[in-house]
Amino acid sequence: SENASDDAEAVRDVFAMDTYMTVKAYGSNGDAAVDAAVDEINRLDALLSTGKKDSEIGQINANNGGQLSEDGAVLMERSLELYKSTNGAFDVAIYPVMKAWGFTDGNYQVPDADTLKATLELVDPSLIDYDKETSTVSFKKDGVQIDLGGIAKGYTSSRIMDIYKEKGVTSGLVNLGGNAQVFGTKPDDSLWRVAVQSPDSEDEYLGVLETKDKAIITSGGYERYFEKDGVTYHHIIDPSTGYPADNGLISVTIVSADGTLADGLSTSLFVMGKDKATDYWKAHSDEFDMILLTDDEKLYVSEGIKDSFTSDREFEIVEK
Ligand code: ADP
């Protein structure tokens, strides 16, 4: 019957962008939709991964510039917009610093202050010439390199939502290593219940968000890090210092209909810290909601999701 095919679930798992991903879709076109979603993940991984020498970004970094594909151009534009709107917290030119810390190849090290200072001179989007007409970038200084790692996964999940729409599935989701985006409501028309990642353990979560048509993306220092002499160094860098951001937050979750924005802002607000993040939310509350977990284990939830978020922990509602 029609109902039976509407409820049919199609699921695929794929390892890409350094993480395990799951795509799921319901409806008669579900199989075709998840196959297309996996193809899209693999295509974008090959195109955008900074660490892959043959990728578009790898080539541009090796050649001091070059032409971007349609996807690359969108991400470059969004990155430059974010740089402006976040007052530099999101910096697409961060790659030289990621390399200095060894986050790009796993040869972790704490760079000395002089090296870091010299490297930071290269971390400056004003050294990137971007021509919108031709989608071409050129770097004004040797050593400038770009990194879409703070935004590529969210863009990928947005693209999968486009595919679900094109294929006419009734509902679906993508889970990219703890970052989720949901399409429509569940097959029974109820809201999706998305667990919000906890830094404490993979089996625990901060709470549950009931939602539809949204990306739920978390960034935290606990995701990728190394330890040296008893100190933990993680992979979200404060572009104003070159050191791992240490502004009082343990994690930031962003909820938005725009997956690319959600991914970029989870990194940015983590860099900003609670007060600046709150100000940023107040100025952009029509675009996203947020859940902040601070060093002193306090949980803050912006008012747009206060009724859809439930948690065993107490939380404070952030109001406009
Ligand atoms: P993950 O991709 O592991 O979920 P994030 O979304 O928080 O984590 O992105 C972290 C990645 O973003 C880093 O690995 C690096 O590639 C990039 N990055 C780190 N700091 C910044 C920054 N200040 N601005 C833009 N990108 C950053």
Side-chain angles (χ1 to χ4, degrees):
S1 78
E2 207 170 284
N3 278 342
S5 76
D6 271 0
D7 288 352
E9 180 187 86
V11 191
R12 303 280 185 277
D13 292 315
V14 53
F15 185 82
M17 304 182 179
D18 281 329
T19 190
Y20 288 96
M21 308 186 170
T22 304
V23 288
K24 210 182 260 192
Y26 297 85
S28 47
N29 254 341
D31 271 310
V34 290
D35 284 343
V38 170
D39 288 348
E40 182 68 353
I41 289 170
N42 288 324
R43 185 184 74 84
L44 290 172
D45 189 19
L47 190 71
L48 303 172
S49 286
T50 314
K52 291 190 173 140
K53 280 207 173 75
D54 299 340
S55 74
E56 174 170 299
I57 304 304
Q59 286 295 306
I60 285 174
N61 282 342
N63 299 318
N64 260 322
Q67 199 181 17
L68 290 159
S69 60
E70 233 179 283
D71 303 283
V74 169
L75 285 170
M76 178 55 67
E77 282 164 35
R78 299 294 305 266
S79 295
L80 295 174
E81 276 167 33
L82 274 171
Y83 177 75
K84 274 199 204 135
S85 87
T86 65
N87 212 0
F90 190 91
D91 196 325
V92 71
I94 201 74
Y95 200 63
V97 175
M98 299 305 293
K99 278 204 299 201
W101 285 94
F103 282 112
T104 51
D105 59 7
N107 288 320
Y108 302 123
Q109 55 178 320
V110 179
D112 65 69
D114 287 343
T115 307
L116 212 47
K117 207 173 155 219
T119 309
L120 266 185
E121 311 252 300
L122 301 167
V123 179
D124 177 358
S126 73
L127 297 174
I128 302 171
D129 253 333
Y130 173 63
D131 180 4
K132 213 174 157 168
E133 292 298 307
T134 57
S135 303
T136 307
V137 285
S138 58
F139 302 150
K140 295 183 199 167
K141 227 185 197 178
D142 272 357
V144 171
Q145 294 192 316
I146 55 174
D147 178 3
L148 299 177
I151 197 172
K153 274 189 229 162
Y155 177 72
T156 303
S157 67
S158 286
R159 285 286 309 131
I160 292 170
M161 300 301 110
D162 295 341
I163 289 171
Y164 288 169
K165 206 177 200 175
E166 282 162 29
K167 298 282 179 195
V169 302
T170 50
S171 63
L173 68 83
V174 52
N175 190 331
L176 311 179
N179 296 331
Q181 192 159 358
V182 297
F183 181 78
T185 52
K186 287 202 289 188
D188 65 2
D189 285 337
S190 62
L191 294 171
W192 294 99
R193 291 171 52 80
V194 180
V196 176
Q197 257 182 299
S198 160
D200 297 332
S201 105
E202 273 181 31
D203 308 323
E204 284 177 56
Y205 42 90
L206 285 183
V208 173
L209 193 74
E210 286 199 283
T211 192
K212 62 174 182 175
D213 291 320
K214 290 278 177 359
I216 302 95
I217 296 189
T218 301
S219 285
Y222 56 90
E223 283 175 346
R224 197 138 51 88
Y225 61 87
F226 70 94
E227 274 173 31
K228 181 88 199 290
D229 300 331
V231 182
T232 303
Y233 300 94
H234 62 73
H235 72 141
I236 301 176
I237 302 295
D238 184 339
S240 69
T241 64
Y243 284 87
D246 183 17
N247 294 315
L249 292 175
I250 295 177
S251 72
V252 173
T253 300
I254 305 289
V255 181
S256 173
D258 180 342
T260 313
L261 182 77
D263 198 11
L265 287 183
S266 66
T267 305
S268 312
L269 269 58
F270 185 87
V271 170
M272 289 178 194
K274 179 186 159 255
D275 292 345
K276 285 186 187 159
T278 301
D279 290 344
Y280 188 90
W281 173 75
K282 287 182 182 175
H284 299 88
S285 58
D286 54 331
E287 294 169 38
F288 74 97
D289 274 290
M290 64 177 189
I291 300 166
L292 308 178
L293 179 66
T294 57
D295 274 354
D296 51 2
E297 292 281 323
K298 287 203 176 119
L299 198 55
Y300 297 87
V301 176
S302 63
E303 67 179 337
I305 50 172
K306 69 174 166 38
D307 297 326
S308 39
F309 180 70
T310 46
S311 177
D312 290 341
R313 302 187 189 217
E314 277 180 41
F315 58 86
E316 191 173 305
I317 295 163
V318 182
E319 286 168 351
K320 274 179 261 175

